Amino acid sequence: MFGNSLQTKSNRSQFFTFAFLLLFFSSPSCLALESRSRIRINNVVSRQNVDSCLTGLNVTYPGDPSFQSLSQTFNARLSYTPAAIVLPSSVQDIEKVVTCGASLNLPVVSRSGGHSYAGYGLGGVDGALVVDLSSMKQITLNGDNAVVQTGNRLGEVATYLWENGHRALPHGTCPKVGTGGHTSYGGYGPYSRMAGLLMDRVVGAEVVLANGTSVTTSESSYPDLFWALKGAGPSFGIVTSWTYSTLAAPATSVFFSISIPQYKTGDTFAAGFAKYQTFVHTAPKELAMAFSFGGNSQGINVQLIGNYFGSKSDFTTLVNGLVQDLNASIDTADEYTDWTKILVANGYGEQLVTAGPSPPNTFFAKSLVTFDLLDDTSLKRWGDYLVNTAAKADINWFAQADLYGGAISTDFDASSASFAHRDAFLVFQFYGSSNNNAPYPSDGIDVINKMLTSLSPNPAAAYPNYIDPTLSDSEWQSQYFGNNMARLSGIKALYDPNNVFKFPQSIPVGSVDNATATAPPTGSRTSTPNPSGTGSSDVSSPNSSEKLGTSLPKVMVALLALLPFCLDTF
């Protein structure tokens, strides 16, 4: 999907191809971890220990022939060696893996599409027990509701829904991104201003908890857990399937690209961006428009790219004034009636094919969430840095400001999910990669950091699907989760007091006093609908009395465990 799409800073067309493949990528989804902050496992667990409690499962260990390919991170700047990678084929298999990991004090993580920017689907540390969901592919459409196992990727979901009643969901456009983390941390796409984030379409989720039991959550069943899953899911369990309320696919939509003459000074760039943000600030929800740009030694190249849900004539009427103000030209304005074809157009021709992993890329990324118009002083400072410094840097980079608002902020209550940025205006991604996947340049992280701080020296909010490993604990907790942190940590204490689902930026165990959730089940596994929506599975979990300690002493011990996990649901 990404690979070597950016070859040189001067190759403008390939630059924007790469940039738009990442448009609406929430996913992911996308956390990163620096070697200096690696969390080490306290106890050494042998292969024999792990194998003894995973009998009968498809398990790959370090040294096995397939281990190297299975443990490849999407971000080649990072690498981790899991204790084992398990490929379950059922919910019962996952229950067994979680029980095993908890008994051996191994951090348990899950991987859906494998696009975590930080490799958190492999643990973000050495020695994690990885649940690779790629074999969990069932999709069932029951009326307007689709039950989607989290081994499915976006391309598979889009194709299935279109072919079975011309249904759709407001997800991103990169076909190989997994449904697990993309949904868990928001899930933005071209249709989001019309229909909300992908997580807003979730009406139920089946999840394996830290005690090896499974529950089906919704607004009426384990409502606090359901709330936590929609914004911070991987910290609380392994979601095995989402139930989405689907929509009729848009009848007509326009994919467009608008080119702006190259900006050669910081002042002209700042003025151009100011015109863009002023225009989109009051734009109708039918318009999804991103400001996407990259630099070379001559200046900054910009395209406005996105979608309009209506006719081509209405689109051109809407944007004509902006095009004239920017001295720009409409390169593309293609009208579609086939939803899958507009997704392909958004991916610059990448088909909705999901076989095989995405090629790795060596990169570092940051994000910024803004809630209103940016002031002229900030834009001028930012423009000067981009033109005079970033454009001359020895990395391939692009940046993009995605327009939020519309249905995201008007059609869904902020209290409906733990996602903290319901009222976002623009969400920026700053992304730098090395040339031809060479080792990342020593100054590359600094270039991307300053791309952010030149615009916003003290950023208040960031998007967790573009995870930033350099943030301190207080920074990522406030920027990703805001005022929801206390409640999230309380729900964590209730459902995962021993911190089984642990990774470098997972929700820490807090005080149960901050949670108002229904108590999780103990003992044998709860009977829940299977992914097809029929029948049930009733499996007794071994050592159940030891799993999710509900006694006061265990909870108090858990409160001491403040180790800070992830994104794609890996």
Side-chain angles (χ1 to χ4, degrees):
M1 178 170 61
F2 301 105
N4 299 320
S5 298
L6 284 177
Q7 301 296 326
T8 65
K9 285 177 284 192
S10 62
N11 191 329
R12 184 172 178 227
S13 63
Q14 287 192 344
F15 163 77
F16 281 108
T17 298
F18 179 86
F20 202 75
L21 290 180
L22 282 140
L23 179 64
F24 310 130
F25 186 68
S26 9
S27 186
S29 235
C30 323
L31 306 173
L33 174 71
E34 300 305 306
S35 58
R36 64 173 177 80
S37 62
R38 289 190 180 213
I39 301 172
R40 294 293 179 181
I41 297 172
N42 293 327
N43 59 320
V44 177
V45 179
S46 70
R47 173 171 177 164
Q48 184 178 5
N49 295 141
V50 178
D51 214 26
S52 66
C53 59
L54 294 179
T55 304
L57 300 187
N58 183 356
V59 187
T60 301
Y61 295 96
D64 288 351
S66 61
F67 184 83
Q68 184 173 356
S69 60
L70 285 175
S71 61
Q72 172 65 58
T73 55
F74 171 60
N75 186 352
R77 191 174 63 82
L78 308 166
S79 64
Y80 302 108
T81 303
I85 300 174
V86 187
L87 284 82
S89 59
S90 68
V91 173
Q92 292 81 9
D93 287 352
I94 297 172
E95 293 171 345
K96 188 173 183 178
V97 177
V98 172
T99 300
C100 177
S103 70
L104 297 175
N105 196 29
L106 288 173
V108 179
V109 299
S110 56
R111 178 170 62 180
S112 176
H115 287 82
S116 168
Y117 279 18
Y120 284 3
L122 294 169
V125 296
D126 293 334
L129 185 57
V130 174
V131 180
D132 185 317
L133 298 164
S134 58
S135 296
M136 305 280 285
K137 295 283 194 181
Q138 188 171 357
I139 304 176
T140 304
L141 194 59
N142 299 320
D144 291 343
N145 286 351
V147 182
V148 178
Q149 287 189 318
T150 46
N152 284 289
R153 302 184 181 196
L154 300 184
E156 293 165 318
V157 175
T159 300
Y160 180 92
L161 293 181
W162 176 256
E163 292 178 350
N164 289 271
H166 288 189
R167 309 299 293 176
L169 287 167
H171 53 66
T173 60
C174 295
K176 292 188 177 183
V177 167
T179 54
H182 186 64
T183 307
S184 293
Y185 290 97
Y188 175 81
Y191 202 41
S192 288
R193 280 174 50 81
M194 291 286 287
L197 300 170
L198 182 56
M199 69 170 191
D200 292 323
R201 309 308 307 179
V202 173
V203 296
E206 184 177 49
V207 56
V208 176
L209 302 175
N211 66 351
T213 66
S214 297
V215 296
T216 298
T217 68
S218 66
E219 289 185 352
S220 60
S221 177
Y222 303 99
D224 274 22
L225 177 60
F226 186 61
W227 175 86
L229 294 176
K230 296 190 299 177
S235 290
F236 297 91
I238 297 178
V239 175
T240 57
S241 66
W242 300 108
T243 299
Y244 301 105
S245 175
T246 67
L247 302 153
T252 305
S253 49
V254 177
F255 169 70
F256 67 85
S257 63
I258 300 171
S259 290
I260 301 172
Q262 187 180 67
Y263 292 116
K264 298 182 181 297
T265 69
D267 284 347
T268 55
F269 176 87
F273 190 89
K275 291 176 180 178
Y276 159 77
Q277 69 167 356
T278 299
F279 173 79
V280 297
H281 194 253
T282 58
K285 67 179 183 179
E286 288 80 7
L287 181 71
M289 178 183 282
F291 188 98
S292 186
F293 62 97
N296 58 36
S297 59
Q298 305 302 312
I300 305 297
N301 299 318
V302 179
Q303 278 190 329
L304 305 180
I305 47 183
N307 300 268
Y308 178 76
F309 295 96
S311 68
K312 180 176 179 178
S313 61
D314 286 347
F315 164 71
T316 54
T317 299
L318 175 65
V319 302
N320 185 57
L322 177 65
V323 170
Q324 292 184 14
D325 285 347
L326 294 171
N327 193 27
S329 59
I330 299 175
D331 295 332
T332 304
D334 294 332
E335 191 173 289
Y336 293 86
T337 57
D338 184 326
W339 175 240
T340 59
K341 289 182 179 179
I342 199 168
L343 292 175
V344 170
N346 275 276
Y348 275 81
E350 184 179 11
Q351 300 299 309
L352 302 182
V353 176
T354 60
S358 298
N361 191 246
T362 303
F363 67 91
F364 175 70
K366 294 181 75 73
S367 68
L368 173 69
V369 177
T370 64
F371 301 94
D372 207 341
L373 297 170
L374 293 159
D375 64 87
D376 291 343
T377 300
S378 297
L379 292 178
K380 173 62 165 60
R381 183 176 61 241
W382 185 41
D384 286 343
Y385 174 76
L386 293 172
V387 172
N388 298 325
T389 303
K392 300 175 176 60
D394 189 27
I395 58 171
N396 294 314
W397 64 265
F398 86 95
Q400 184 163 291
D402 286 320
L403 176 63
Y404 275 48
I408 299 170
S409 56
T410 62
D411 292 9
F412 302 92
D413 193 280
S415 64
S416 65
S418 57
F419 181 78
H421 308 318
R422 179 66 66 188
D423 54 347
F425 169 42
L426 297 174
V427 175
F428 292 78
Q429 179 176 197
F430 309 94
Y431 186 107
S433 62
S434 62
N435 292 303
N436 298 315
N437 276 335
Y440 201 71
S442 58
D443 63 344
I445 290 178
D446 187 57
V447 170
I448 299 300
N449 276 329
K450 289 179 179 176
M451 205 174 290
L452 166 65
T453 58
S454 61
L455 175 61
S456 179
N458 298 293
Y463 182 41
N465 265 337
Y466 305 143
I467 206 71
D468 178 3
T470 65
L471 298 179
S472 67
D473 286 352
S474 62
E475 287 173 334
W476 70 256
Q477 289 176 20
S478 64
Q479 291 185 30
Y480 294 147
F481 303 108
N483 294 332
N484 292 330
M485 265 305 301
R487 185 181 176 193
L488 284 167
S489 65
I491 297 171
K492 176 77 168 180
L494 190 62
Y495 286 91
D496 186 13
N498 297 318
N499 215 9
V500 173
F501 302 111
K502 177 176 61 178
F503 46 94
Q505 290 182 341
S506 57
I507 301 297
V509 178
S511 170
V512 291
D513 292 340
N514 292 322
T516 58
T518 304
T522 58
S524 61
R525 179 179 179 272
T526 302
S527 178
T528 58
N530 67 21
S532 67
T534 61
S536 65
S537 178
D538 188 9
V539 178
S540 179
S541 301
N543 303 317
S544 57
S545 63
E546 296 298 318
K547 291 172 192 166
L548 191 71
T550 55
S551 64
L552 181 59
K554 285 190 177 181
V555 172
M556 293 185 70
V557 170
L559 295 179
L560 300 176
L562 296 176
L563 288 177
F565 184 95
C566 151
L567 207 135
D568 208 53
T569 294
F570 311 112

